[in-house]
Amino acid sequence: MNIHEYQAKTMLSNFGVSIPRGGLAYSPEQAAYRARDIGGKLWAVKAQVHTGGRGKAGGVKICENEDEVLAAADAMFGKRLITDQTGPDGKMIYRVYVEGCVEIEREFYLAFVLDRAAERVTVVSSAAGGMEIEEIAADQPDSIVRTFIEPAVGMRDFQAREIAFNLGIPAPQISKAVEAILGSYRAFRNFDASMVEINPLALTRDGDIVALDAKMTFDSNALFRHAEISELRDKSQEDARESQAADRGLSYVGLDGRIGCIVNGAGLAMATMDMIELSDGKPANFLDIGGGATPERVAKAFKLVRSDDNVEAILVNIFAGINRCDWVAEGIVQTLQNDPVDVPVVVRLAGNNVDGGRQVLEQSGLPIIHAETLSEAAQRVVEAWTNSKQSDDKARAS
Ligand code: ADP
Ligand code: MG
């Protein structure tokens, strides 16, 4: 789960990381009021959307007076900010953060991530801050330093000092930088974060070390023990279908093809999508109904997959281990009887009690297309989709 910049900054400042003075606004007038309250001569008006790269996309505006703050905020509210990370739809701006500007001497990159291969929390730092890490990796890969943290002892002071020295932070600011690095690490660890990214961490003209941007991502599986983090969730920033699915205990991933996939298990989902692509089709999404493919879950899955207008054919691919194919088949039949679909449906069942399952489907009299194997299922769904498109085109032409 992601949170907004202003939320991450508040959290990091509670752990001793310096941040500029700032305030949140839900309207242009409130933004101007915030600027007055913060004081100073220069302000940054920053769109609060779950994405990086806002600066380049017009989501960060530097303003010289309250009128400019008001106008900058007014131009942002209710618009969708499209960055190179959001995809073409962008993300809606409902909140802006107004912040006092600092005079930047140098910008650094600092992030904490989990390196699964090393099984360690890893600090990624670079003296080439300000640009996105992908750009740093392409332009100045040698500037990136990785520091591994021993899980048994946590981050040590000497490691933070070493990072600060490597970044080239001047001697008088080393202890401030160390405080920021250790503070970010404690925030990462205490809240089960999967990422903390400060880009840029700035050395200011007047010799301060401040976080000018902050991004935090949390491990959803650990949210149950951090109610205060769960509260920060902002559904307006999530794909509506993905959050609807998550609320129903299903995992949904939206893609841009035309074939909807209902499967159980992430591995089977990947294999199913690969097979569809091999048969020259493209998946519109995949919905993983998980272990318990009960009739209720099957019904919910169909509803979600069909709510996507792009879906022009559906492939159900279930491998029943603990489940029973006949129960899954009953779920499919009940769902389609109560709520018929107008696109071709291909079903491939395998595993426990598969004969019973097939019988249920056959006896239902529904126009379900059967498939024995995964490759047959993929071919059939692509075929059925192509045929239904052709007959649609003919109907339109006549
Ligand atoms: P993003 O990474 O989404 O583009 P940032 O918060 O990093 O957004 O802002 C982009 C750039 O704007 C920063 O790299 C920094 O140079 C500048 N900036 C942001 N906030 C401030 C601030 N308070 N004072 C001065 N410069 C700022
Ligand atoms: Mg940034």
Side-chain angles (χ1 to χ4, degrees):
M1 190 194 89
N2 294 319
I3 61 174
H4 287 294
E5 172 198 4
Y6 76 94
Q7 295 165 329
K9 278 183 169 162
T10 311
M11 186 165 291
L12 291 173
S13 83
N14 290 337
F15 284 86
V17 181
S18 295
I19 54 168
R21 278 197 73 188
L24 187 69
Y26 289 94
S27 71
E29 293 73 24
Q30 200 180 12
Y33 168 79
R34 291 289 186 217
R36 198 176 323 141
D37 196 40
I38 292 162
K41 291 199 178 81
L42 219 52
W43 299 269
V45 176
K46 310 177 81 176
Q48 296 302 289
V49 281
H50 288 179
T51 171
R54 295 165 302 166
K56 273 184 270 172
V60 177
K61 283 269 154 56
I62 306 296
C63 302
E64 292 186 356
N65 54 53
E66 279 176 39
D67 289 340
E68 281 185 26
V69 169
L70 192 121
D74 195 34
M76 288 181 193
F77 278 113
K79 298 261 165 55
R80 302 189 80 92
L81 187 71
I82 302 167
T83 73
D84 39 17
Q85 298 174 16
T86 56
D89 288 346
K91 295 228 160 133
M92 193 62 127
I93 306 171
Y94 292 113
R95 313 174 193 191
V96 305
Y97 188 55
V98 183
E99 189 172 74
C101 272
V102 301
E103 282 191 80
I104 302 172
E105 182 76 36
R106 267 149 72 192
E107 295 184 314
F108 308 102
Y109 179 91
L110 177 70
F112 295 75
V113 291
L114 193 65
D115 184 321
R116 287 171 201 278
E119 299 176 4
R120 303 259 181 300
V121 172
T122 304
V123 191
V124 182
S125 55
S126 163
M131 46 181 169
E132 302 298 317
I133 187 66
E134 292 82 4
E135 293 171 81
I136 304 177
D139 291 1
Q140 303 181 44
D142 296 341
S143 75
I144 298 175
V145 177
R146 287 186 179 74
T147 310
F148 294 106
I149 298 175
E150 283 300 321
V153 291
M155 190 173 199
R156 306 276 81 189
D157 292 5
F158 81 86
Q159 294 182 299
R161 269 198 303 278
E162 225 166 61
I163 293 169
F165 280 118
N166 279 332
L167 288 175
I169 288 175
Q173 280 82 36
I174 289 282
S175 64
K176 269 187 184 156
V178 166
E179 204 178 320
I181 296 167
L182 290 173
S184 311
Y185 169 70
R186 281 198 301 273
F188 179 98
R189 191 201 50 197
N190 285 18
F191 289 107
D192 293 308
S194 48
M195 187 192 61
V196 171
E197 185 189 62
I198 302 178
N199 185 29
L201 178 71
L203 167 65
T204 65
R205 285 259 157 85
D206 52 11
D208 206 355
I209 296 281
V210 290
L212 289 191
D213 190 7
K215 198 169 172 185
M216 286 183 87
T217 306
F218 299 91
D219 183 342
S220 317
N221 293 314
L223 282 178
F224 73 92
R225 55 185 188 191
H226 303 293
E228 69 279 40
I229 306 287
S230 307
E231 278 173 14
L232 303 180
R233 184 168 170 197
D234 180 355
K235 285 196 187 175
S236 78
Q237 299 295 308
E238 298 173 3
D239 181 316
R241 291 165 310 183
E242 285 179 25
S243 50
Q244 260 181 33
D247 291 346
R248 288 166 179 74
L250 306 165
S251 47
Y252 178 99
V253 175
L255 301 160
D256 49 15
R258 292 285 181 264
I259 295 168
C261 305
I262 298 175
V263 296
N264 65 328
L268 194 61
M270 298 299 148
T272 306
M273 290 192 299
D274 282 349
M275 292 308 280
I276 290 176
E277 300 253 0
L278 275 177
S279 307
D280 295 325
K282 280 206 177 302
N285 51 42
F286 77 78
L287 206 144
D288 176 4
I289 57 176
T294 59
E296 295 76 38
R297 282 171 94 87
V298 173
K300 282 177 193 162
F302 264 94
K303 212 174 209 156
L304 267 165
V305 166
R306 291 181 50 213
S307 68
D308 182 345
D309 290 338
N310 284 335
V311 171
E312 293 172 353
I314 297 176
L315 172 58
V316 184
N317 185 20
I318 301 287
F319 189 93
I322 302 164
N323 273 303
R324 289 173 40 170
C325 284
D326 51 337
W327 292 355
V328 175
E330 268 160 28
I332 297 171
V333 168
Q334 275 174 29
T335 305
L336 294 182
Q337 275 168 347
N338 295 338
D339 209 357
V341 295
D342 49 6
V343 297
V345 177
V346 176
V347 178
R348 182 247 178 170
L349 298 173
N352 196 5
N353 219 357
V354 63
D355 295 333
R358 229 167 267 154
Q359 217 173 2
V360 170
L361 293 181
E362 274 160 24
Q363 284 169 358
S364 73
L366 290 163
I368 295 170
I369 302 166
H370 305 267
E372 289 274 334
T373 64
L374 177 50
S375 55
E376 188 193 339
Q379 280 161 15
R380 292 212 148 193
V381 76
V382 174
E383 245 168 55
W385 169 65
T386 316
N387 292 341
S388 76
K389 261 177 69 85
Q390 279 166 355
S391 55
D392 276 1
D393 291 348
K394 257 189 221 145
R396 226 169 283 136
S398 64

